[in-house]
Amino acid sequence: MHMSLIHKKQSAKSPTQAKGWFHEHWIEILILAVGLIAMNLIFIAEAFRATDTVNPEGAGQLGDFVGGYVGTFFALASVVLLTSTLRNQRRSAQVLNFEAKYFELLRLHRDNVAELEVQGVAGRKLFVVLVREFRSALEIVKQISGKNSLPLSQKQLMHITYNCLFFGTGPNSSRMLNQSLSDFPSGFASDLITKLDSLTVKQSIQNEKKLAYVPFEGHQSRLGHYYRHLYQAVRYVDQQTIDIDKYQYVKTIRAQLSNHEQALLLLNSLTPIGSNWWRQGFIEKYRMVQNIPKDFFDPKTELDVSSLFQSGYFEWEENESAT
């Protein structure tokens, strides 16, 4: 008795679907109309008109011919309808199989979010704190880039800062962070890692931002798993060859993401770590970060998101145009 909410919504009646009903059943309607016409055309034959009595011999021969001809037509129509029925049953089975895995992926995503936890900060609340930590790291990146006279674009700032949040510093983390910054001057990367790894700096940021944990120690074990699974869920829908509304299914996935989750997803996608989101077109095709509020990122000091997307991409743009 497995049937999804999406499947139920698609089967609900609406004015548009009423029109679609005729389109879906036009073959059956055509067969019925042709059959009725063929059955009644016999009465215009000479054997049934132009005299007061029916010509039994002529009517019998004509009836045998029409019966055989029309009967063959309906036998052929039966084969066509049977083929259509089997095809529809196959499609229904494919949709049910797809939805079984789809909702399992959706459940696993929710479980992944629920399992995210750092020093008592858990679930979606953690993303709020992660954005706060990201902004603290961004200020440090700007300081070090200024010290090294290194001009950086907004995208470069987001790339570097997200890597700082993702890898953090430590015996192994600092090495991975340094490797992720190999495209930038080594002196800049070294100064940045030294600053982020300073215990004094970490304690100062922790107190200033009221963080429950020590910042800049990395979140790759959490965010890496989270974003890999989210990407696979969207990719699973996108790769389907059956006739489904892919956007609506991915929209349901997107609806699970809070504003801060979408904000971090955008930041993740602007780095080599998450570049597949853009390469595969998922960010734009499925509007994965559509619900980021207006000016969530300061367009002057952080990220001008309007430069990344075409006009009308964000939900707040739709609301403004409606007022």
Side-chain angles (χ1 to χ4, degrees):
M1 293 180 64
H2 175 69
M3 177 174 281
S4 69
L5 293 175
I6 293 176
H7 204 58
K8 289 181 179 178
K9 288 179 181 178
Q10 290 177 339
S11 64
K13 295 293 183 181
S14 67
T16 303
Q17 289 172 325
K19 183 179 178 181
W21 181 89
F22 179 83
H23 178 74
E24 182 179 354
H25 298 282
W26 71 270
I27 294 178
E28 294 93 324
I29 295 172
L30 178 63
I31 292 173
L32 180 62
V34 170
L36 290 173
I37 292 172
M39 289 166 57
N40 289 279
L41 279 177
I42 190 174
F43 293 107
I44 68 174
E46 287 291 333
F48 289 94
R49 63 187 180 86
T51 59
D52 294 334
T53 60
V54 174
N55 182 343
E57 183 179 354
Q61 292 176 350
L62 182 61
D64 291 340
F65 169 76
V66 172
Y69 185 81
V70 173
T72 303
F73 168 78
F74 278 104
L76 177 61
S78 298
V79 173
V80 172
L81 292 175
L82 177 60
T83 303
S84 176
T85 300
L86 293 176
R87 184 175 64 249
N88 289 336
Q89 288 178 344
R90 180 187 176 190
R91 180 189 177 278
S92 297
Q94 289 175 328
V95 171
L96 288 175
N97 289 335
F98 156 73
E99 289 191 341
K101 184 174 180 180
Y102 167 80
F103 282 106
E104 177 64 15
L105 290 172
L106 206 59
R107 184 189 67 79
L108 289 174
H109 169 75
R110 292 170 182 157
D111 291 344
N112 288 338
V113 174
E115 291 172 2
L116 291 173
E117 190 269 334
V118 183
Q119 294 296 319
V121 182
R124 289 190 170 86
K125 292 181 180 179
L126 178 60
F127 287 92
V128 178
V129 181
L130 290 177
V131 171
R132 199 181 305 165
E133 182 183 351
F134 173 87
R135 287 186 162 126
S136 298
L138 177 60
E139 292 304 315
I140 294 176
V141 172
K142 289 179 178 179
Q143 291 173 12
I144 302 302
S145 64
K147 176 184 174 182
N148 285 264
S149 301
L150 178 64
L152 296 171
S153 67
Q154 285 191 336
K155 281 188 177 182
Q156 289 175 320
L157 283 170
M158 297 302 106
H159 169 191
I160 295 169
T161 306
Y162 183 83
N163 282 356
C164 292
L165 176 74
F166 187 80
F167 293 108
T169 59
N172 295 317
S173 299
S174 294
R175 184 181 68 255
M176 288 185 284
L177 176 57
N178 185 61
Q179 179 60 34
S180 73
L181 302 178
S182 59
D183 292 337
F184 301 93
S186 58
F188 163 75
S190 177
D191 289 348
L192 177 60
I193 292 172
T194 299
K195 182 82 170 180
L196 291 172
D197 200 33
S198 168
L199 183 59
T200 302
V201 171
K202 289 182 177 182
Q203 289 178 339
S204 175
I205 296 297
Q206 184 179 11
N207 294 331
E208 179 186 347
K209 300 298 182 180
K210 298 180 180 179
L211 301 177
Y213 58 88
V214 178
F216 313 141
E217 295 198 341
H219 301 280
Q220 59 176 310
S221 62
R222 304 175 187 89
L223 294 180
H225 174 70
Y226 170 85
Y227 283 120
R228 278 194 302 273
H229 186 275
L230 180 62
Y231 176 81
Q232 290 302 323
V234 175
R235 186 168 179 264
Y236 173 68
V237 177
D238 185 72
Q239 289 185 330
Q240 293 304 308
T241 57
I242 57 177
D243 183 21
I244 58 173
D245 190 339
K246 295 179 182 180
Y247 182 83
Q248 289 300 321
Y249 281 100
V250 177
K251 183 179 179 181
T252 300
I253 297 175
R254 189 185 73 212
Q256 311 301 310
L257 309 180
S258 67
N259 292 344
H260 286 77
E261 285 179 83
Q262 291 189 24
L264 271 183
L265 171 59
L266 176 59
L267 297 174
N268 172 277
S269 72
L270 295 177
T271 71
I273 298 172
S275 59
N276 274 342
W277 286 100
W278 287 95
R279 191 176 296 117
Q280 298 297 328
F282 297 162
I283 290 289
E284 295 177 296
K285 185 193 303 184
Y286 299 117
R287 299 192 173 198
M288 292 301 300
V289 296
Q290 179 190 32
N291 306 113
I292 296 177
K294 184 178 182 180
D295 295 334
F296 183 95
F297 293 107
D298 190 310
K300 294 181 178 179
T301 62
E302 294 179 334
L303 180 64
D304 182 8
V305 295
S306 63
S307 66
L308 302 175
F309 302 96
Q310 293 183 353
S311 177
Y313 177 90
F314 290 100
E315 184 180 43
W316 58 264
E317 293 179 285
E318 297 176 2
N319 295 335
E320 283 187 348
S321 63
T323 56

